[in-house]
Amino acid sequence: MKARVHVMLKTGVLDPQGEAVRHALGQLGFDGVEGVRQGKVIEIDLAESDAGAARETVTRMCETLLANTVIESYSVELV
Amino acid sequence: MKARVHVMLKTGVLDPQGEAVRHALGQLGFDGVEGVRQGKVIEIDLAESDAGAARETVTRMCETLLANTVIESYSVELV
């Protein structure tokens, strides 16, 4: 079973990577860009075949390693 | 209109970040992790309201700035 985790900085937390991308897009002539946020996507191949157990495991991975929950939010999607 | 871009290293390209995460998960006692790939997710707020035009613009952004198409693949999703 495959899981995809999105980790984004929470709203209100300064995102310098996103700001850099927004600035660069402006320099390249792309108008109408109102905001950019950049985060991580982590794709995990699991031996687990039960969807509930897989989601529970991946949520624990997020809490312990993948996300800094003070400043980042995460979402888990099974694919 | 909001677009979400996923940028992942192509299959076969070494992914040291993903390998580091896989190793760390093993150290933390998570068994059954068969592979990890890490990529970027970029959320872009656009003034454009036409879906076709927005997708075309974001695809150009990927080709010129967001992805290194030699080693990375990207996908564009309008949300």
Side-chain angles (χ1 to χ4, degrees), chain B residues 41-73:
Chain B
V41 56
I42 302 153
E43 291 184 353
I44 305 169
D45 281 318
L46 294 162
E48 181 65 60
S49 58
D50 177 66
R55 184 177 291 276
E56 192 263 335
T57 302
V58 174
T59 302
R60 273 195 298 124
M61 290 176 181
C62 292
E63 292 286 339
T64 52
L65 179 73
L66 303 179
N68 174 353
T69 53
V70 177
I71 56 167
E72 293 172 325
S73 60

Side-chain angles (χ1 to χ4, degrees), chain A residues 6 8 21 24-25 30 32-47 60-61 64-66, chain B residues 6 8 21 25 30 32-47 60-61 64-66:
Chain A
H6 285 106
M8 300 294 292
V21 170
L25 288 173
F30 289 102
V33 178
E34 295 175 343
V36 179
R37 304 285 286 174
Q38 183 168 330
K40 292 180 286 189
V41 56
I42 302 153
E43 291 184 352
I44 305 170
D45 282 317
L46 294 162
R60 273 195 298 123
M61 290 176 181
T64 51
L65 179 72
L66 304 179
Chain B
H6 285 106
M8 301 293 291
V21 170
L25 287 173
F30 290 102
V33 177
E34 294 176 344
V36 179
R37 303 287 285 176
Q38 183 168 331
K40 293 179 287 188
V41 56
I42 302 153
E43 291 184 353
I44 305 169
D45 281 318
L46 294 162
R60 273 195 298 124
M61 290 176 181
T64 52
L65 179 73
L66 303 179

Side-chain angles (χ1 to χ4, degrees), chain B residues 4-25:
Chain B
R4 184 180 293 143
V5 176
H6 285 106
V7 180
M8 301 293 291
L9 286 166
K10 288 181 179 172
T11 313
V13 178
L14 193 67
D15 177 3
Q17 282 187 304
E19 278 307 296
V21 170
R22 193 169 71 89
H23 184 73
L25 287 173

Side-chain angles (χ1 to χ4, degrees), chain A residues 58-74:
Chain A
V58 175
T59 302
R60 273 195 298 123
M61 290 176 181
C62 291
E63 292 285 339
T64 51
L65 179 72
L66 304 179
N68 174 353
T69 54
V70 177
I71 55 166
E72 292 172 324
S73 60
Y74 63 86

